[in-house]
Amino acid sequence: MQSLYVEGNSRLHLISARVKLIVLAVLGIALFATANIALLGFAVVATGAVYFGIGMPVRAALARLKPILLTILIVAVFSLAFNPWHGAVVALLRLTALMLFAASVTATTTIAAFMDEITLAARPLERLGLVRADDVGLAVGLVVRFVPEIIGRYHAIAEAHHARGLKVRPATVLVPLIILTLKDADNIAAAIDARGIRRHVN
Amino acid sequence: MSTRDLVLSALFAAIIVALGILPPITLGFIPVPITAQSLGVMMAGVVLGAQRGTVAVLIVLVLVAIGLPVLSGGRGGLAAFAAPTTGFLIGWVFAAFTTGYISERLVKHGQAAGMQLTGFFFAAMMGGIVVLYAFGIVYLAFAAQIGLKAAFTGSMAFIPGDVIKAFVAALVGRAVMAGYPLLPVKS
């Protein structure tokens, strides 16, 4: 699985993940606090400059925004049918600016840096006994490891359907897929505990 | 959480991610794409129950946040939380919890197949539709400034697809319970 991180040495790459996340949060609040079209328009231009200044080829930069931008546009058009145009334009500019900056943070922050921040954020919850901060990284690693296996298993089950002249239906594929996948849980858990990865087992 | 529970949640998160790699189905002209991933969220509830199902969905959201393109159509990264439809994404957590919570209390091991199916279907409808749409519609109305009524009307187009998904989730929940029961049943 390819991360959305983009290799580079723009100014945004050099800023720490924590600062970028705090700026993103502040920006999100600020954008929703104003309904001034000129100000929001400026925010779009500024965040756009940041995003396209990262050093991605323009086409690739646009391609990764397409699905979310499309959703924002369609909702804005839908909004025009029900509401005065001012609200639709405000929402369009607001969400576009937020999306551009969020995408900039994602493109310039490595997974490792994000994981460090998440682990740090989970520490207080750990003290409350809600989660174990290191489990977050373990779980992420497990998912990345098993997604390709599940996709392979899906194709094998679909092939078994074809071989028997059966139509591939959601229920008949999903049931074996889920059971086969979850049956591995005992072995994987035993392997994790045998290696002492979670140290104290409960 | 025991290691086994953590692994079960992670494996289910991987199943939800894998479901997003299959192409999404778009119904009508309204922006929320119909994906097998929301089916995955309902299935997390009916198969794993409230706690492990919720954790599975939380793991998926962590993957999105750290910049992996794990949502259907290759979406991911923090920008996925800046869409007008983000409420539906956040709502997944509560949808999985509700579905699991109701499943644990309605469905018993000795029940007739029809009863189990009905229980799972009701749980998936409450979690995957009532609770999920409550989050999605309120956020859509707020973020896109379109008002609750328009947000509600716009989202209605997706209900039929989600009812079908709730039914598929119920079928799967029952079959998994017969083949490899994991749901912690509460009396």
Side-chain angles (χ1 to χ4, degrees), chain A residues 2 4 79 106 151 186 193 198, chain B residues 1 3-4 67 69 78 146:
Chain A
Q2 190 74 42
L4 294 170
S79 170
T106 296
I151 290 172
D186 289 311
D193 286 339
R198 296 179 87 218
Chain B
M1 207 177 200
T3 306
R4 180 171 184 263
L78 291 168
I146 62 173

Side-chain angles (χ1 to χ4, degrees), chain B residues 8-96:
Chain B
L8 283 170
S9 294
L11 288 176
F12 220 98
I15 291 174
I16 295 175
V17 170
L19 286 174
I21 292 168
L22 308 170
I25 317 147
T26 325
L27 200 145
F29 50 88
I30 299 157
V32 195
I34 287 201
T35 66
Q37 282 188 312
S38 60
L39 170 62
V41 172
M42 295 181 199
M43 293 194 300
V46 298
V47 171
L48 295 181
Q51 194 205 7
R52 293 176 300 192
T54 308
V55 171
V57 174
L58 283 172
I59 294 170
V60 176
L61 295 191
V62 167
L63 291 164
V64 174
I66 64 173
L68 289 168
V70 294
L71 296 176
S72 57
R75 286 171 303 134
L78 291 168
F81 293 97
T85 49
T86 298
F88 289 95
L89 195 57
I90 306 293
W92 276 5
V93 179
F94 302 91

Side-chain angles (χ1 to χ4, degrees), chain A residues 142-193:
Chain A
L142 280 173
V143 175
V144 173
R145 158 77 177 74
F146 282 101
V147 166
E149 204 153 305
I150 292 169
I151 290 172
R153 205 169 268 158
Y154 170 86
H155 289 304
I157 295 168
E159 219 166 84
H161 276 64
H162 293 311
R164 291 164 179 78
L166 296 172
K167 274 207 178 124
V168 178
R169 290 184 198 284
T172 59
V173 179
L174 289 173
V175 174
L177 185 66
I178 289 173
I179 293 180
L180 282 172
T181 303
L182 298 185
K183 267 193 171 164
D184 286 345
D186 289 311
N187 289 332
I188 299 165
I192 290 171
D193 286 339

